[in-house]
Amino acid sequence: MDYTNSSLNVESAAISKPTPLRKIAAVATIGAGIQFGWALQLSLLTPYIQLLGVPHKWAANIWLCGPISGMIVQPLVGYYSDRSHSRFGRRRPYIFFGSISVALAVFFIGFASDIGHALGDDLTQKTRTRAVVIFIVGFWILDVANNMLQGPCRAFIGDLADGDHSRMRTGMSLFSFFIAIGNVLGYAAGSYGNLYKIFPFTETKACDVFCANLKTCFFFSIFLLAIVSTFALLYVEDIPLTSKPEIQLAPEDDPGCFGQLLEAFHGLKKPMWMLLLVTAVNWVAWFPFFLFNTDWMGHEVYGGKSGDKAYATGVRAGALGLMIQAVVLAVMSLAVEPLSRLVGGAKRLWGMVNIIFAIALAMTVVITKAAENERHSSTGGTPSMGVKAGAFSFFAIVGVPLAINFSVPFALASIYSSSAGAGQGLSLGVLNLAIVIPQMIVSAVSGPVDSLFGGGNLPMFVVGAVAAVISSVLAFILLPKQEHTAKATTVTGGFH
């Protein structure tokens, strides 16, 4: 059985003509709601895990749920939404139930400490076992829900564009823009220490100010996601898939989601395999940053310990740094394609910015040592303006390679996988595997590396710097030179 065109035909069956741009923009706004919660995950949840008593060296293991769910859920949702015959449309049911699941997950995460205390946790103990279990359940639901939302939203934009490449690029640029808006809002909320005062009931015996602030931030994320999702689902029609003989496969001939994924791997050419290799090494560099950026600010820069004032102040400062990074990301995302032309190709740009990322990660060692020296001097424990400026500069600089990393690999994949025959959704699923597998490896090894080198976040940042250099060299050497047909369409967000 030849599956070469089955996915592509299914994807084009539902929309007969391009939709007005305002409706594509309405779907793109969901990106802001998704990314608001994802930004809160990146900036606040690693510190929150430690507040519940999970040791730093084990905190990264909890993040394994992200790549595991991304590896399984995204291909499944993409496959079945492509083929859904629901009268509500192919994408809207997944977006609706994904939004509901996010709300449920946020409840478990935000109220984990309170629920754990109600179930018998002793607040005098460092580790609150029941609260940790509740948190992990909520965290898994949140990551599964995010994966339910991201794929169908991007696919919905593709449906509405109806094969018009210009409209597709515009739609993805709008999605990228709203992703950046969600980042800015999420990091800004996480950086403000008195947000919980809007809802005073969030501070309880089992939930201190930091925990209460997290609850309040998640309340706002639910509200934003509910508003944008409801508007898009009611305003934009998702035409149900109609059965057409040319796109039907007999049940015994349909290979299923993972069968088609294997077919896609079987048909990959050398350029795509090289892209997967470079992407995998590149994400070994990126994931330590995503895991430990605000924790680094709390522990190494501000010299705090989990639960104390200095640590909480440092985490909020880290969230502010991420907000600055999000602004740089938004600006740079508009410059990816012209920069690619300026430097002679997307692969050259990707290789160059990975060197910038490696230098930025190396900066964390210098900043940390400067902060430690200050704490041992007469200036006390609060970082000086110079150290703070260095830390915020680090976050801002990282925004430049981040914009490239969120765009160029996907643009190159659209070229290299054109002969794989798996269709747009499953081709992105193949690339997603090169992103999530390194995340699983980093999550598994960061604890032992942490212990081996005496604790803290610097060991994994150094590993990330080395991986960034290696991925830069591989990009220059392994990726083909003939990439002038690539369009660097930016598709930003939290990949997991």
Side-chain angles (χ1 to χ4, degrees):
M1 171 59 67
D2 181 11
Y3 310 116
T4 302
N5 294 315
S6 60
S7 292
L8 296 175
N9 288 335
V10 169
E11 290 179 358
S12 64
I15 303 297
S16 59
K17 61 182 180 179
T19 302
L21 192 59
R22 64 181 182 276
K23 293 193 175 183
I24 294 178
V27 175
T29 61
I30 299 177
I34 296 172
Q35 199 63 19
F36 191 117
W38 179 239
L40 293 174
Q41 279 186 267
L42 293 176
S43 60
L44 298 180
L45 289 193
T46 292
Y48 184 53
I49 292 168
Q50 296 177 71
L51 189 66
L52 296 179
V54 178
H56 180 273
K57 66 179 182 179
W58 299 115
N61 292 329
I62 294 178
W63 285 82
L64 279 170
C65 65
I68 291 173
S69 65
M71 185 167 57
I72 297 173
V73 176
Q74 278 205 28
L76 282 173
V77 169
Y79 177 80
Y80 286 108
S81 69
D82 280 346
R83 288 155 176 76
S84 173
H85 286 75
S86 168
R87 63 189 180 91
F88 300 106
R90 291 187 293 168
R91 317 299 180 187
R92 286 197 296 185
Y94 289 93
I95 294 173
F96 174 78
F97 286 110
S99 299
I100 296 296
S101 299
V102 167
L104 178 64
V106 165
F107 171 78
F108 280 123
I109 291 173
F111 286 86
S113 186
D114 295 305
I115 297 172
H117 180 52
L119 293 176
D121 272 345
D122 184 353
L123 300 182
T124 63
Q125 298 296 315
K126 182 177 180 180
T127 300
R128 309 176 195 176
T129 306
R130 296 168 182 82
V132 171
V133 171
I134 297 296
F135 172 86
I136 292 174
V137 170
F139 199 33
W140 274 83
I141 296 174
L142 182 61
D143 272 279
V144 170
N146 278 336
N147 279 291
M148 284 180 65
L149 279 168
Q150 290 182 46
C153 281
R154 295 192 186 102
F156 202 0
I157 291 174
D159 295 341
L160 298 174
D162 191 36
D164 186 323
H165 291 180
S166 175
R167 194 171 289 264
M168 170 74 82
R169 290 195 296 271
T170 302
M172 290 301 178
S173 295
L174 287 170
F175 193 79
S176 172
F177 173 76
F178 284 109
I179 285 285
I181 294 297
N183 268 332
V184 172
L185 293 175
Y187 294 141
S191 67
Y192 183 55
N194 294 318
L195 198 64
Y196 73 98
K197 292 182 179 179
I198 299 174
F199 302 115
F201 65 87
T202 56
E203 185 179 7
T204 64
K205 183 178 179 181
C207 185
D208 64 7
V209 170
F210 180 86
C211 171
N213 218 51
L214 179 68
K215 280 184 193 174
T216 305
C217 288
F218 273 126
F219 285 154
F220 280 109
S221 77
I222 292 175
F223 177 75
L224 177 61
L225 181 60
I227 291 295
V228 296
S229 298
T230 300
F231 176 73
L233 293 176
L234 293 178
Y235 179 60
V236 184
E237 185 179 9
D238 184 9
I239 300 175
L241 183 67
T242 56
S243 298
K244 293 187 176 182
E246 65 268 23
I247 64 169
Q248 296 301 303
L249 292 173
E252 65 271 14
D253 292 331
D254 190 342
C257 170
F258 295 104
Q260 286 210 2
L261 197 61
L262 290 175
E263 286 287 328
F265 270 112
H266 180 72
L268 292 182
K269 305 300 182 183
K270 182 179 178 181
M272 188 63 183
W273 282 112
M274 296 301 99
L275 176 62
L276 295 179
L277 174 61
V278 176
T279 301
V281 176
N282 191 233
W283 273 87
V284 172
W286 277 106
F287 202 52
F289 168 77
F290 288 137
L291 276 180
F292 302 122
N293 44 45
T294 55
D295 190 62
W296 169 71
M297 285 289 280
H299 278 304
E300 278 87 347
V301 178
Y302 277 74
K305 296 181 179 180
S306 298
D308 66 17
K309 183 178 180 180
Y311 181 76
T313 303
V315 169
R316 289 196 299 271
L320 178 60
L322 288 170
M323 186 186 71
I324 295 171
Q325 179 192 104
V327 173
V328 175
L329 170 63
V331 174
M332 281 300 302
S333 67
L334 302 177
V336 173
E337 192 166 347
L339 282 175
S340 297
R341 293 195 299 265
L342 181 65
V343 302
K347 80 154 189 176
R348 290 176 60 85
L349 178 61
W350 195 18
M352 292 166 63
V353 298
N354 280 330
I355 295 297
I356 295 175
F357 183 44
I359 294 172
L361 287 175
M363 282 175 54
T364 61
V365 178
V366 178
I367 296 168
T368 298
K369 297 305 178 184
E372 289 177 351
N373 289 337
E374 285 185 357
R375 285 195 294 273
H376 289 103
S377 68
S378 58
T379 57
T382 303
S384 67
M385 288 301 298
V387 170
K388 291 179 183 177
F392 288 133
S393 297
F394 160 70
F395 282 101
I397 291 170
V398 169
V400 175
L402 188 60
I404 312 304
N405 187 60
F406 280 166
S407 58
V408 168
F410 296 91
L412 295 178
S414 68
I415 300 170
Y416 300 159
S417 64
S418 60
S419 61
Q424 181 183 6
L426 286 179
S427 294
L428 287 175
V430 170
L431 186 64
N432 193 55
L433 291 178
I435 295 173
V436 300
I437 291 175
Q439 292 181 21
M440 296 170 66
I441 295 172
V442 170
S443 296
V445 305
S446 59
V449 171
D450 177 3
S451 299
L452 182 63
F453 291 95
N457 298 296
L458 291 186
M460 286 308 299
F461 282 178
V462 172
V463 170
V466 173
V469 172
I470 295 173
S471 67
S472 174
V473 173
L474 292 178
F476 280 116
I477 295 175
L478 297 181
L479 297 181
K481 295 180 180 179
Q482 291 77 17
E483 56 182 51
H484 59 277
T485 57
K487 293 289 185 181
T489 303
T490 306
V491 187
T492 65
F495 297 100
H496 46 91

